[in-house]
């Protein structure tokens, strides 16, 4: 049998040889991906994995474990259920953060996709604990996650000796696998017990970031409009007083520009459904869209690549009062709002807003 790489290959018809040569020339002349293209793809993939993790990881893991119960692999589900029961209180006792996950290189690509930037205006002393108010909520809290959970924007270098934590819905820590993912990054439940533990039993130098507006604020998220749900949100101030934690305002400029949302007017039946769902489940079902995988012009569930700049403001010094009166809580709540408004007005023109833009607080 003649070898296909021997003289027989040289006996190809002239037309075939010409076709092969043309194909090779076309291949060699094709544009290879540049470093910029590779970076863009890595950035897109990093954001894709983050969105899918937050939207699907918990639900898919739960479905897989339920399915395994009815197969020969049922011991996996049984062992994991036993682990969750044993580990039930860990999220409310500081969690189980992994520094290596916070330094994961993928977060640098995640940061550069938008890009996300952290701006420091004042020092935070490691001898105190802090509650950082994170505003606005947006759709997926990109600024808060990138700055307080990943190390990609240099929080540790800007605020040496400060350990940042970010709070999220307690129900997220009941979902298998997803709970481990959240705790490894430094997230904890937004409950009095969890926040109280970090502020009283975990030493000093802790900064607990709370997205004050929560799910209710996400319903009003839209580009060009900055509305915060804050006037009646005073629980974080009471906790700060009970533990002597300083209050620190922060604002993520550009957060509301990452998605487009179908906003239903107050009083409409769809808005009522959203509000009822939010009260029952703790989160609001938003109808939103972003860009697709193929291009910025296509529609999908990924955030648009818009700059997000998180500015951390001046701490409001708070005394420790175990049982603060309503008047005291109101006083420090007003001090916090004034500090937040000052932070917004001093920085809005630097990061994409005009002098006439105002911060609406409801």
């Amino acid at each position: 049998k003649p070898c296909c790489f021997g003289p027989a290959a040289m006996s190809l018809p002239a037309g075939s040889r010409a076709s092969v040569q043309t194909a090779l020339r076309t291949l060699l002349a094709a544009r290879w991906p540049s470093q910029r293209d590779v970076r863009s793809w890595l950035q897109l993939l990093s954001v894709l994995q983050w969105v899918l993790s937050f939207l699907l990881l918990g639900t898919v893991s739960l479905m897989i474990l339920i399915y395994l119960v009815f197969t020969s692999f049922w011991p996996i589900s049984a062992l994991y259920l036993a682990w969750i029961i044993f580990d039930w209180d860990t999220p409310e006792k500081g969690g189980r953060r992994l520094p290596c996950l916070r330094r994961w290189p993928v977060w640098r690509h995640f940061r550069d996709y938008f890009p996300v930037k952290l701006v420091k205006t004042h020092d935070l002393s490691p001898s105190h604990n802090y509650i950082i108010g994170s505003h606005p909520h947006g759709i997926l809290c990109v600024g808060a996650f990138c700055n307080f959970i990943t190390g990609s924007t240099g929080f540790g270098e800007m605020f040496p000796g400060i350990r940042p934590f970010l709070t999220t819905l307690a129900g997220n820590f009941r979902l298998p696998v997803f709970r481990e993912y959240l705790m490894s990054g430094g997230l904890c439940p937004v409950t009095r017990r969890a926040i109280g533990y970090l502020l009283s039993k975990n030493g000093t130098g802790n900064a607990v970031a709370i997205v004050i507006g929560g799910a209710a604020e996400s319903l009003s998220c839209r580009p060009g409009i900055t509305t915060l749900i804050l006037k009646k949100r005073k629980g974080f101030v009471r906790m700060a007083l009970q533990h002597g934690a300083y209050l620190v305002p922060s604002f993520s400029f550009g957060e509301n520009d990452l998605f487009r949302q179908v906003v239903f007017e107050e009083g409409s039946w769809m808005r009522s459904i959203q509000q009822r769902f939010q009260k029952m489940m703790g989160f609001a079902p938003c109808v939103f869209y972003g860009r697709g995988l193929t291009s910025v012009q296509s529609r999908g569930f990924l955030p648009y690549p818009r700059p997000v700049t998180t500015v951390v403001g001046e701490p409001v010094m708070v005394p420790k009062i175990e049982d603060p009166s309503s008047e005291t809580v109101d006083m420090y709540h007003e001090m916090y709002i004034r500090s937040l408004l000052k932070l917004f007005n001093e920085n809005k023109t630097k990061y994409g807003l005009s002098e006439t833009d105002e911060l609406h607080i409801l």
Side-chain angles (χ1 to χ4, degrees):
K1 181 178 179 180
C3 177
C4 59
F5 296 103
M10 302 300 295
S11 62
L12 287 172
S16 298
R17 288 200 303 272
S19 298
V20 171
Q21 291 171 355
T22 301
L24 288 173
R25 282 197 297 268
T26 302
L27 180 62
L28 293 174
R31 177 181 176 271
W32 288 85
S34 64
Q35 289 186 350
R36 182 177 180 181
D37 293 331
V38 173
R39 283 197 301 269
S40 296
W41 295 341
L42 289 174
Q43 291 166 11
L44 188 64
L45 289 173
S46 68
V47 174
L48 175 63
Q49 67 82 24
W50 177 76
V51 172
L52 291 179
S53 296
F54 269 81
L55 296 182
L56 298 178
L57 180 59
T59 303
V60 171
S61 299
L62 179 61
M63 294 174 64
I64 291 175
L65 288 175
I66 293 174
Y67 169 75
L68 292 179
V69 169
F70 302 99
T71 69
S72 58
F73 297 99
W74 64 265
I76 296 176
S77 298
L79 288 172
Y80 190 79
L81 177 60
W83 164 252
I84 287 183
I85 294 173
F86 173 79
D87 197 53
W88 190 261
D89 291 334
T90 299
E92 296 193 330
K93 293 182 177 180
R96 191 168 40 248
R97 62 196 297 154
L98 298 176
C100 60
L101 184 66
R102 294 172 62 87
R103 295 192 299 267
W104 199 17
V106 73
W107 300 131
R108 294 198 297 271
H109 300 299
F110 179 88
R111 171 200 64 196
D112 294 338
Y113 169 85
F114 298 96
V116 179
K117 182 181 178 183
L118 180 66
V119 176
K120 168 186 172 182
T121 61
H122 292 78
D123 291 330
L124 299 182
S125 171
S127 61
H128 297 287
N129 286 324
Y130 304 88
I131 290 181
I132 300 178
S134 179
H135 311 274
H137 183 285
I139 297 294
L140 293 179
C141 303
V142 169
F145 176 86
C146 190
N147 288 299
F148 302 131
I149 292 303
T150 80
S152 62
T153 57
F155 185 96
E157 291 73 25
M158 290 186 192
F159 302 101
I162 302 297
R163 294 181 297 274
F165 296 85
L166 178 63
T167 58
T168 185
L169 294 174
N172 289 330
F173 295 89
R174 305 299 177 240
L175 294 172
V177 181
F178 190 44
R179 69 190 295 273
E180 322 299 340
Y181 178 75
L182 295 177
M183 284 193 291
S184 63
L187 283 103
C188 63
V190 61
T191 61
R192 288 184 176 275
R193 183 184 177 191
I195 298 171
Y197 180 92
L198 293 173
L199 297 179
S200 63
K201 299 180 181 180
N202 199 43
T204 60
N206 301 293
V208 183
I210 304 175
V211 186
I212 308 295
E217 191 172 278
S218 66
L219 294 177
S220 302
C221 167
R222 65 180 108 176
I225 297 178
T226 309
T227 301
L228 305 183
I229 306 297
L230 182 57
K231 278 189 177 180
K232 296 182 180 180
R233 301 291 175 98
K234 301 179 181 180
F236 73 102
V237 178
R238 183 174 293 276
M239 288 210 68
L241 286 163
Q242 290 172 340
H243 298 283
Y246 290 5
L247 291 168
V248 183
S250 72
F251 195 92
S252 294
F253 294 91
E255 183 74 45
N256 285 350
D257 298 330
L258 303 181
F259 291 95
R260 301 290 185 268
Q261 181 180 186
V262 180
V263 178
F264 302 101
E265 298 299 326
E266 288 289 346
S268 64
W269 65 276
M270 279 299 296
R271 186 65 167 226
S272 299
I273 291 175
Q274 287 179 314
Q275 291 172 339
R276 289 178 183 177
F277 193 92
Q278 182 251 320
K279 289 181 180 179
M280 289 188 297
M281 303 299 294
F283 65 93
C286 301
V287 181
F288 67 91
Y289 65 90
R291 61 159 291 181
L293 281 171
T294 56
S295 70
V296 177
Q297 287 72 34
S298 61
R299 288 193 178 185
F301 55 89
L302 297 179
Y304 290 106
R306 304 280 189 269
V308 178
T309 303
T310 301
V311 184
V312 180
E314 181 180 4
V316 176
M317 291 184 289
V318 174
K320 184 175 181 179
I321 305 175
E322 291 187 5
D323 187 21
S325 64
S326 298
E327 292 76 15
T328 302
V329 172
D330 290 343
M331 181 180 71
Y332 282 95
H333 186 261
E334 286 297 325
M335 290 172 63
Y336 176 83
I337 290 179
R338 287 197 299 270
S339 182
L340 176 62
L341 287 170
K342 178 184 177 183
L343 173 71
F344 177 83
N345 290 323
E346 288 180 350
N347 292 276
K348 60 184 179 181
T349 57
K350 300 177 185 177
Y351 306 113
L353 299 180
S354 67
E355 192 64 46
T356 58
D357 285 324
E358 295 182 354
L359 187 61
H360 303 282
I361 297 179
L362 302 179

